[in-house]
Amino acid sequence: MTSTRTTLRRAAAVTALTAAGVFAAAGVASAHVTVHPESYAKGATDGLLTFRVPNEEDTASTTKVQVFLPTDHPVLGVLVHPRDGWTAKVTTTKLKTPVKTDDGTITEAVSAITWTGGKIGAGQYEDFDVAFGQLPDDTGQLTFKTLQTYSDGKVARWIEEQTGGDEPENPAPVLKLTAGGEKTTPADSKSSSGSTSKAADSSDSTARGLGVAGLVVGVLGLAAAAFAIVRGRSARS
């Protein structure tokens, strides 16, 4: 009986540790700032981008979010959707290379948007909506480097660009620009007007995959323990 209890305790411990490690990894996988939808057609007009900012700290709140828009391939006609509790400051920059459009030549574009005054608590996220008039058609992607400031003074710098197959530790939000006709419709990207008490994003496919894998490993561990117990009893009899 003592041997049986020891075996079960060990199996339970292994299962618990495995699940804890997997779910911790899943939390890290979904913690970075992202832009939605993930892709748009090159030169798309009159669309919406949503920057999703999760709070990854347990003891501090996010109090400032600063998103930098590229000016080498500028996003034209930027408008910021009001967000309850937050104040948005829009910074414009004179373009080195003016952009010719049907409505004339554009010499300035938005280079940064800074949200302050609100709060994103632990286990919560906030969506910041930005409308645009036109996306560039001369590049394959847009990188939106982002700074996330916490109430304790810590700054998370989501500015790293992916150069190989592995995702960087602090990736910047990236919008893929595809050939015409391959636009991803942002039907679900527009956020509601609710408060910042939204649950942390659970749509990350990597996180879900890791969670399922952890549960499978745990079940296999318990099955192996049960088999060992039955086998031991058979040997004694």
Side-chain angles (χ1 to χ4, degrees):
M1 183 63 69
T2 301
S3 176
T4 298
R5 289 178 178 175
T6 300
T7 302
L8 285 174
R9 282 199 299 269
R10 289 177 178 174
V14 170
T15 301
L17 289 173
T18 301
V22 169
F23 286 122
V28 172
S30 61
H32 52 266
V33 177
T34 52
V35 61
H36 303 272
E38 296 180 351
S39 66
Y40 253 113
K42 293 181 178 180
T45 58
D46 301 326
L48 181 73
L49 298 176
T50 298
F51 294 93
R52 177 158 295 178
V53 183
N55 191 92
E56 62 174 2
E57 295 292 323
D58 295 330
T59 58
S61 300
T62 296
T63 57
K64 179 180 178 181
V65 177
Q66 189 171 22
V67 176
F68 296 90
L69 283 69
T71 55
D72 52 346
H73 302 286
V75 179
L76 305 181
V78 171
L79 295 173
V80 180
H81 187 277
R83 170 57 56 199
D84 291 344
W86 295 85
T87 299
K89 177 184 177 182
V90 178
T91 302
T92 59
T93 299
K94 188 172 183 178
L95 299 175
K96 293 181 179 180
T97 304
V99 179
K100 294 182 179 181
T101 70
D102 294 337
D103 298 322
T105 300
I106 306 299
T107 59
E108 290 187 344
V110 174
S111 58
I113 305 173
T114 304
W115 287 272
T116 56
K119 182 176 70 173
I120 308 173
Q124 299 175 355
Y125 72 86
E126 187 64 273
D127 282 345
F128 298 94
D129 293 337
V130 176
F132 63 83
Q134 183 175 342
L135 296 177
D137 58 5
D138 57 352
T139 185
Q141 67 178 35
L142 296 176
T143 300
F144 300 95
K145 296 182 178 181
T146 302
L147 301 182
Q148 180 180 8
T149 303
Y150 288 92
S151 55
D152 60 1
K154 177 182 177 180
V155 178
R157 300 172 61 83
W158 306 105
I159 62 174
E160 297 177 4
E161 300 184 43
Q162 185 168 341
T163 56
D166 296 331
E167 185 179 65
E169 183 177 355
N170 299 296
V174 173
L175 177 70
K176 300 292 184 181
L177 297 182
T178 64
E182 299 179 18
K183 173 182 173 182
T184 298
T185 303
D188 298 325
S189 65
K190 184 173 178 58
S191 61
S192 64
S193 58
S195 67
T196 59
S197 61
K198 302 170 184 174
D201 183 19
S202 60
S203 63
D204 189 277
S205 57
T206 302
R208 289 201 305 268
L210 289 172
V212 171
L215 292 176
V216 170
V217 171
V219 171
L220 291 177
L222 290 175
F227 176 76
I229 293 170
V230 173
R231 184 177 181 182
R233 289 177 176 175
S234 299
R236 288 196 297 271
S237 60

